[in-house]
CSV table of all heavy atoms in Angstrom, one decimal:
chain,number,residue,atom,x,y,z
R,1,TYR,N,104.8,97.8,86.6
R,1,TYR,CA,105.7,97.1,85.7
R,1,TYR,C,106.2,98.0,84.6
R,1,TYR,O,107.4,98.0,84.3
R,1,TYR,CB,104.8,96.0,85.0
R,1,TYR,CG,104.5,94.7,85.8
R,1,TYR,CD1,103.3,94.2,85.8
R,1,TYR,CD2,105.6,94.0,86.4
R,1,TYR,CE1,103.0,93.0,86.5
R,1,TYR,CE2,105.3,92.9,87.1
R,1,TYR,CZ,104.0,92.4,87.2
R,1,TYR,OH,103.7,91.2,87.9
R,2,LEU,N,105.4,98.9,84.1
R,2,LEU,CA,105.8,99.8,83.0
R,2,LEU,C,106.8,100.9,83.6
R,2,LEU,O,107.8,101.2,83.0
R,2,LEU,CB,104.6,100.4,82.3
R,2,LEU,CG,104.1,99.7,81.1
R,2,LEU,CD1,105.1,99.6,80.0
R,2,LEU,CD2,103.6,98.3,81.4
R,3,GLY,N,106.4,101.4,84.7
R,3,GLY,CA,107.2,102.5,85.3
R,3,GLY,C,108.6,102.0,85.6
R,3,GLY,O,109.6,102.7,85.3
R,4,MET,N,108.7,100.8,86.2
R,4,MET,CA,110.1,100.2,86.5
R,4,MET,C,110.8,99.9,85.2
R,4,MET,O,112.0,100.1,85.0
R,4,MET,CB,109.9,99.0,87.4
R,4,MET,CG,109.5,99.2,88.8
R,4,MET,SD,109.5,97.7,89.8
R,4,MET,CE,108.3,96.7,89.0
R,5,GLY,N,110.0,99.3,84.2
R,5,GLY,CA,110.7,98.9,83.0
R,5,GLY,C,111.2,100.0,82.1
R,5,GLY,O,112.2,99.9,81.4
R,6,LEU,N,110.6,101.2,82.3
R,6,LEU,CA,111.0,102.4,81.6
R,6,LEU,C,112.0,103.2,82.4
R,6,LEU,O,112.4,104.3,82.0
R,6,LEU,CB,109.8,103.3,81.2
R,6,LEU,CG,108.8,102.7,80.2
R,6,LEU,CD1,107.5,103.5,80.2
R,6,LEU,CD2,109.5,102.6,78.8
R,7,HIS,N,112.4,102.6,83.5
R,7,HIS,CA,113.4,103.3,84.4
R,7,HIS,C,112.9,104.7,84.9
R,7,HIS,O,113.7,105.6,85.1
R,7,HIS,CB,114.8,103.4,83.7
R,7,HIS,CG,115.4,102.1,83.3
R,7,HIS,ND1,115.9,101.2,84.2
R,7,HIS,CD2,115.5,101.6,82.1
R,7,HIS,CE1,116.3,100.2,83.5
R,7,HIS,NE2,116.1,100.4,82.2
R,8,GLN,N,111.6,104.8,85.1
R,8,GLN,CA,111.0,106.0,85.6
R,8,GLN,C,110.5,105.9,87.0
R,8,GLN,O,110.1,106.8,87.6
R,8,GLN,CB,109.9,106.4,84.6
R,8,GLN,CG,110.4,106.8,83.2
R,8,GLN,CD,109.3,107.0,82.2
R,8,GLN,OE1,108.1,106.7,82.5
R,8,GLN,NE2,109.7,107.4,81.0
R,9,MET,N,110.4,104.6,87.5
R,9,MET,CA,110.1,104.4,88.9
R,9,MET,C,111.2,103.4,89.4
R,9,MET,O,111.6,102.5,88.7
R,9,MET,CB,108.7,103.7,89.0
R,9,MET,CG,107.5,104.5,88.9
R,9,MET,SD,106.0,103.5,89.2
R,9,MET,CE,104.7,104.6,88.8
R,10,PRO,N,111.6,103.6,90.6
R,10,PRO,CA,112.6,102.6,91.2
R,10,PRO,C,111.8,101.4,91.7
R,10,PRO,O,110.6,101.3,91.8
R,10,PRO,CB,113.2,103.4,92.4
R,10,PRO,CG,112.0,104.3,92.8
R,10,PRO,CD,111.3,104.7,91.6
R,11,GLY,N,112.6,100.3,91.9
R,11,GLY,CA,112.0,99.1,92.4
R,11,GLY,C,111.3,99.3,93.8
R,11,GLY,O,110.5,98.4,94.2
R,12,ASP,N,111.6,100.4,94.5
R,12,ASP,CA,110.9,100.7,95.7
R,12,ASP,C,109.4,100.5,95.6
R,12,ASP,O,108.8,100.0,96.5
R,12,ASP,CB,111.2,102.1,96.2
R,12,ASP,CG,112.7,102.4,96.3
R,12,ASP,OD1,113.5,102.0,95.4
R,12,ASP,OD2,113.1,103.1,97.2
R,13,VAL,N,108.9,100.9,94.5
R,13,VAL,CA,107.4,100.9,94.3
R,13,VAL,C,106.9,99.5,94.4
R,13,VAL,O,105.8,99.3,94.9
R,13,VAL,CB,107.0,101.6,93.0
R,13,VAL,CG1,107.3,100.7,91.8
R,13,VAL,CG2,105.5,101.9,93.0
R,14,TRP,N,107.7,98.5,94.0
R,14,TRP,CA,107.2,97.1,94.0
R,14,TRP,C,107.2,96.5,95.4
R,14,TRP,O,106.3,95.8,95.8
R,14,TRP,CB,108.1,96.3,93.1
R,14,TRP,CG,107.6,94.9,92.8
R,14,TRP,CD1,108.1,93.7,93.2
R,14,TRP,CD2,106.5,94.6,91.9
R,14,TRP,NE1,107.3,92.7,92.7
R,14,TRP,CE2,106.3,93.2,91.9
R,14,TRP,CE3,105.6,95.4,91.2
R,14,TRP,CZ2,105.3,92.6,91.2
R,14,TRP,CZ3,104.6,94.8,90.4
R,14,TRP,CH2,104.5,93.4,90.5
R,15,TRP,N,108.2,96.9,96.2
R,15,TRP,CA,108.4,96.3,97.5
R,15,TRP,C,107.7,97.1,98.6
R,15,TRP,O,107.4,96.5,99.7
R,15,TRP,CB,109.9,96.1,97.8
R,15,TRP,CG,110.6,95.4,96.7
R,15,TRP,CD1,111.5,95.9,95.8
R,15,TRP,CD2,110.4,94.1,96.3
R,15,TRP,NE1,111.9,95.0,94.9
R,15,TRP,CE2,111.3,93.9,95.1
R,15,TRP,CE3,109.6,93.0,96.7
R,15,TRP,CZ2,111.3,92.6,94.5
R,15,TRP,CZ3,109.6,91.8,96.0
R,15,TRP,CH2,110.5,91.6,94.9
R,16,ARG,N,107.5,98.4,98.4
R,16,ARG,CA,106.8,99.2,99.4
R,16,ARG,C,105.3,99.0,99.3
R,16,ARG,O,104.5,99.4,100.2
R,16,ARG,CB,107.2,100.6,99.2
R,16,ARG,CG,108.6,101.0,99.6
R,16,ARG,CD,108.8,101.0,101.2
R,16,ARG,NE,108.0,102.1,101.8
R,16,ARG,CZ,107.9,102.3,103.1
R,16,ARG,NH1,108.5,101.4,103.9
R,16,ARG,NH2,107.2,103.3,103.6
R,17,THR,N,104.8,98.4,98.2
R,17,THR,CA,103.4,98.2,98.0
R,17,THR,C,103.0,96.9,98.6
R,17,THR,O,103.7,95.9,98.5
R,17,THR,CB,103.0,98.3,96.5
R,17,THR,OG1,103.5,99.5,96.0
R,17,THR,CG2,101.5,98.3,96.3
R,18,TRP,N,101.8,96.8,99.3
R,18,TRP,CA,101.5,95.7,100.1
R,18,TRP,C,100.8,94.6,99.4
R,18,TRP,O,99.9,94.7,98.6
R,18,TRP,CB,100.5,96.2,101.2
R,18,TRP,CG,101.1,97.3,102.1
R,18,TRP,CD1,102.4,97.3,102.6
R,18,TRP,CD2,100.5,98.5,102.4
R,18,TRP,NE1,102.6,98.5,103.3
R,18,TRP,CE2,101.4,99.2,103.2
R,18,TRP,CE3,99.2,99.1,102.2
R,18,TRP,CZ2,101.1,100.5,103.7
R,18,TRP,CZ3,98.9,100.3,102.7
R,18,TRP,CH2,99.9,101.0,103.5
R,19,ARG,N,101.4,93.3,99.6
R,19,ARG,CA,100.7,92.1,99.0
R,19,ARG,C,99.4,91.9,99.7
R,19,ARG,O,98.4,91.6,99.0
R,19,ARG,CB,101.6,90.9,99.2
R,19,ARG,CG,102.8,90.8,98.2
R,19,ARG,CD,104.0,91.6,98.6
R,19,ARG,NE,105.0,91.6,97.6
R,19,ARG,CZ,105.4,92.7,96.9
R,19,ARG,NH1,105.0,93.9,97.2
R,19,ARG,NH2,106.3,92.6,96.0
R,20,VAL,N,99.4,92.0,101.0
R,20,VAL,CA,98.2,92.0,101.9
R,20,VAL,C,98.4,93.1,102.8
R,20,VAL,O,99.5,93.4,103.2
R,20,VAL,CB,98.0,90.6,102.6
R,20,VAL,CG1,96.8,90.6,103.5
R,20,VAL,CG2,98.0,89.4,101.7
R,21,LEU,N,97.3,93.8,103.2
R,21,LEU,CA,97.4,94.9,104.1
R,21,LEU,C,98.1,94.4,105.4
R,21,LEU,O,97.6,93.5,106.0
R,21,LEU,CB,96.1,95.5,104.4
R,21,LEU,CG,95.3,96.1,103.2
R,21,LEU,CD1,93.9,96.6,103.6
R,21,LEU,CD2,96.1,97.1,102.5
R,22,PRO,N,99.3,95.0,105.7
R,22,PRO,CA,100.1,94.3,106.7
R,22,PRO,C,99.8,94.7,108.2
R,22,PRO,O,99.1,95.7,108.5
R,22,PRO,CB,101.5,94.9,106.4
R,22,PRO,CG,101.2,96.2,105.9
R,22,PRO,CD,99.9,96.1,105.1
R,23,PRO,N,100.2,93.8,109.1
R,23,PRO,CA,100.1,94.2,110.5
R,23,PRO,C,101.1,95.4,110.8
R,23,PRO,O,102.0,95.7,110.0
R,23,PRO,CB,100.6,93.0,111.3
R,23,PRO,CG,101.5,92.3,110.3
R,23,PRO,CD,100.9,92.6,108.9
R,24,LYS,N,100.9,96.0,111.9
R,24,LYS,CA,101.8,97.2,112.3
R,24,LYS,C,103.2,96.8,112.5
R,24,LYS,O,103.5,95.7,113.1
R,24,LYS,CB,101.3,97.8,113.6
R,24,LYS,CG,99.9,98.6,113.4
R,24,LYS,CD,99.6,99.3,114.7
R,24,LYS,CE,98.3,100.1,114.6
R,24,LYS,NZ,98.1,101.0,115.8
R,25,ARG,N,104.1,97.6,112.0
R,25,ARG,CA,105.6,97.5,112.3
R,25,ARG,C,105.9,98.5,113.4
R,25,ARG,O,106.9,98.4,114.1
R,25,ARG,CB,106.4,97.7,111.1
R,25,ARG,CG,106.5,96.5,110.1
R,25,ARG,CD,107.3,96.8,108.9
R,25,ARG,NE,108.7,97.0,109.2
R,25,ARG,CZ,109.6,96.0,109.4
R,25,ARG,NH1,109.2,94.8,109.4
R,25,ARG,NH2,110.9,96.3,109.6
R,26,CYS,N,105.2,99.6,113.4
R,26,CYS,CA,105.4,100.7,114.3
R,26,CYS,C,104.1,101.2,114.9
R,26,CYS,O,103.0,101.0,114.3
R,26,CYS,CB,106.1,101.9,113.6
R,26,CYS,SG,107.6,101.5,112.7
R,27,ALA,N,104.1,101.8,116.0
R,27,ALA,CA,102.9,102.2,116.7
R,27,ALA,C,102.1,103.2,115.8
R,27,ALA,O,100.8,103.2,115.9
R,27,ALA,CB,103.2,102.9,118.0
R,28,SER,N,102.8,104.0,115.0
R,28,SER,CA,102.1,105.0,114.2
R,28,SER,C,101.4,104.4,112.9
R,28,SER,O,100.7,105.1,112.2
R,28,SER,CB,103.1,106.1,113.8
R,28,SER,OG,104.2,105.5,113.0
R,29,ASP,N,101.7,103.1,112.6
R,29,ASP,CA,101.2,102.5,111.4
R,29,ASP,C,99.6,102.3,111.5
R,29,ASP,O,99.1,102.2,112.5
R,29,ASP,CB,101.8,101.1,111.2
R,29,ASP,CG,103.2,101.2,110.7
R,29,ASP,OD1,103.6,102.2,110.1
R,29,ASP,OD2,104.0,100.2,110.8
R,30,PRO,N,99.0,102.4,110.3
R,30,PRO,CA,97.5,102.2,110.3
R,30,PRO,C,97.1,100.8,110.8
R,30,PRO,O,97.8,99.8,110.6
R,30,PRO,CB,97.1,102.5,108.8
R,30,PRO,CG,98.4,102.2,108.1
R,30,PRO,CD,99.5,102.6,109.0
R,31,ASP,N,95.9,100.8,111.4
R,31,ASP,CA,95.4,99.5,111.8
R,31,ASP,C,94.5,98.9,110.7
R,31,ASP,O,93.4,99.5,110.4
R,31,ASP,CB,94.5,99.8,113.1
R,31,ASP,CG,93.9,98.5,113.7
R,31,ASP,OD1,94.1,97.4,113.1
R,31,ASP,OD2,93.2,98.6,114.7
R,32,PHE,N,94.9,97.8,110.1
R,32,PHE,CA,94.2,97.2,109.1
R,32,PHE,C,93.4,96.0,109.5
R,32,PHE,O,93.0,95.1,108.7
R,32,PHE,CB,95.1,96.8,107.9
R,32,PHE,CG,95.8,97.9,107.2
R,32,PHE,CD1,97.1,98.0,107.0
R,32,PHE,CD2,95.0,98.9,106.6
R,32,PHE,CE1,97.7,99.0,106.3
R,32,PHE,CE2,95.5,99.9,105.9
R,32,PHE,CZ,96.9,100.0,105.7
R,33,SER,N,93.0,96.0,110.8
R,33,SER,CA,92.3,94.8,111.3
R,33,SER,C,90.9,94.7,110.8
R,33,SER,O,90.2,93.7,111.0
R,33,SER,CB,92.3,94.8,112.9
R,33,SER,OG,91.6,96.0,113.3
R,34,TRP,N,90.4,95.8,110.1
R,34,TRP,CA,89.1,95.8,109.5
R,34,TRP,C,89.0,95.0,108.3
R,34,TRP,O,87.9,94.6,107.8
R,34,TRP,CB,88.7,97.3,109.1
R,34,TRP,CG,89.7,97.9,108.3
R,34,TRP,CD1,90.7,98.8,108.7
R,34,TRP,CD2,89.9,97.8,106.8
R,34,TRP,NE1,91.5,99.2,107.6
R,34,TRP,CE2,91.0,98.6,106.5
R,34,TRP,CE3,89.2,97.1,105.9
R,34,TRP,CZ2,91.4,98.7,105.1
R,34,TRP,CZ3,89.6,97.2,104.5
R,34,TRP,CH2,90.7,98.0,104.2
R,35,GLN,N,90.1,94.5,107.7
R,35,GLN,CA,90.1,93.8,106.4
R,35,GLN,C,89.5,92.5,106.5
R,35,GLN,O,89.2,91.9,107.6
R,35,GLN,CB,91.5,93.7,105.9
R,35,GLN,CG,92.5,92.8,106.7
R,35,GLN,CD,93.9,92.8,106.1
R,35,GLN,OE1,94.0,92.3,104.9
R,35,GLN,NE2,94.8,93.3,106.8
R,36,GLY,N,89.2,91.9,105.4
R,36,GLY,CA,88.5,90.6,105.3
R,36,GLY,C,89.1,89.5,106.2
R,36,GLY,O,88.3,88.7,106.8
R,37,GLN,N,90.4,89.4,106.2
R,37,GLN,CA,91.1,88.5,107.1
R,37,GLN,C,92.3,89.2,107.8
R,37,GLN,O,93.3,89.4,107.1
R,37,GLN,CB,91.5,87.2,106.4
R,37,GLN,CG,90.4,86.4,105.8
R,37,GLN,CD,90.8,85.0,105.2
R,37,GLN,OE1,91.8,84.5,105.6
R,37,GLN,NE2,90.0,84.5,104.3
R,38,PRO,N,92.1,89.6,109.0
R,38,PRO,CA,93.2,90.3,109.7
R,38,PRO,C,94.5,89.5,109.7
R,38,PRO,O,94.5,88.3,109.7
R,38,PRO,CB,92.7,90.6,111.1
R,38,PRO,CG,91.2,90.6,110.9
R,38,PRO,CD,90.9,89.5,109.8
R,39,GLN,N,95.6,90.3,109.6
R,39,GLN,CA,96.9,89.6,109.5
R,39,GLN,C,97.6,89.5,110.9
R,39,GLN,O,97.6,90.4,111.7
R,39,GLN,CB,97.8,90.4,108.5
R,39,GLN,CG,97.2,90.4,107.1
R,39,GLN,CD,97.3,89.1,106.5
R,39,GLN,OE1,98.3,88.6,106.1
R,39,GLN,NE2,96.1,88.4,106.4
R,40,GLY,N,98.4,88.4,111.0
R,40,GLY,CA,99.2,88.1,112.2
R,40,GLY,C,100.1,87.0,112.0
R,40,GLY,O,100.3,86.5,110.8
R,41,PRO,N,100.7,86.4,113.0
R,41,PRO,CA,101.6,85.3,112.9
R,41,PRO,C,101.1,84.1,112.1
R,41,PRO,O,101.9,83.4,111.5
R,41,PRO,CB,102.0,85.0,114.3
R,41,PRO,CG,101.7,86.2,115.1
R,41,PRO,CD,100.5,86.9,114.4
R,42,ASP,N,99.8,83.9,112.2
R,42,ASP,CA,99.2,82.7,111.5
R,42,ASP,C,98.9,82.9,110.0
R,42,ASP,O,98.6,82.0,109.3
R,42,ASP,CB,97.9,82.3,112.2
R,42,ASP,CG,98.2,81.8,113.6
R,42,ASP,OD1,99.3,81.3,113.9
R,42,ASP,OD2,97.2,81.9,114.5
R,43,THR,N,99.1,84.1,109.6
R,43,THR,CA,98.7,84.4,108.2
R,43,THR,C,99.9,85.0,107.4
R,43,THR,O,99.7,85.4,106.2
R,43,THR,CB,97.6,85.5,108.2
R,43,THR,OG1,98.1,86.7,108.7
R,43,THR,CG2,96.4,85.0,108.9
R,44,GLY,N,101.1,84.9,107.9
R,44,GLY,CA,102.2,85.4,107.1
R,44,GLY,C,103.4,85.7,108.0
R,44,GLY,O,103.5,85.4,109.2
R,45,TYR,N,104.4,86.4,107.4
R,45,TYR,CA,105.6,86.7,108.1
R,45,TYR,C,106.3,87.9,107.4
R,45,TYR,O,106.1,88.1,106.2
R,45,TYR,CB,106.6,85.5,108.1
R,45,TYR,CG,106.8,84.9,106.8
R,45,TYR,CD1,107.7,85.4,105.8
R,45,TYR,CD2,106.0,83.8,106.4
R,45,TYR,CE1,107.8,84.8,104.6
R,45,TYR,CE2,106.2,83.2,105.1
R,45,TYR,CZ,107.1,83.7,104.2
R,45,TYR,OH,107.2,83.2,103.0
R,46,TRP,N,107.1,88.6,108.2
R,46,TRP,CA,108.0,89.6,107.6
R,46,TRP,C,109.3,89.0,107.0
R,46,TRP,O,109.8,88.1,107.7
R,46,TRP,CB,108.4,90.7,108.6
R,46,TRP,CG,107.2,91.6,109.0
R,46,TRP,CD1,106.4,91.5,110.1
R,46,TRP,CD2,106.7,92.7,108.2
R,46,TRP,NE1,105.5,92.5,110.1
R,46,TRP,CE2,105.6,93.2,109.0
R,46,TRP,CE3,107.1,93.3,107.0
R,46,TRP,CZ2,104.9,94.3,108.5
R,46,TRP,CZ3,106.4,94.4,106.6
R,46,TRP,CH2,105.3,94.9,107.3
R,47,THR,N,109.7,89.4,105.9
R,47,THR,CA,110.9,88.9,105.3
R,47,THR,C,111.7,90.1,104.7
R,47,THR,O,111.0,91.2,104.4
R,47,THR,CB,110.7,87.8,104.3
R,47,THR,OG1,111.9,87.3,103.9
R,47,THR,CG2,110.0,88.4,103.0
């Protein structure tokens, strides 16, 4: 919030940071299936 508000960080930081550890978009992405509730079509969506 402060970094963006001071114009020292772009909005990228807000949208690139994960609300919930996401499912893979690419084969090289990390596997977060270890988390408390793994993510998939029943737990959210890409927008």
Side-chain angles (χ1 to χ4, degrees):
Y1 283 132
L2 269 297
M4 292 185 297
L6 294 167
H7 301 287
Q8 294 168 355
M9 286 185 187
D12 303 42
V13 73
W14 193 252
W15 309 113
R16 290 285 294 174
T17 307
W18 303 312
R19 280 85 184 119
V20 180
L21 300 179
K24 290 187 176 186
R25 286 179 63 81
C26 304
S28 58
D29 284 339
D31 180 1
F32 291 128
S33 62
W34 54 263
Q35 66 181 297
Q37 295 187 24
Q39 296 293 287
D42 295 334
T43 63
Y45 50 82
W46 288 101
T47 188

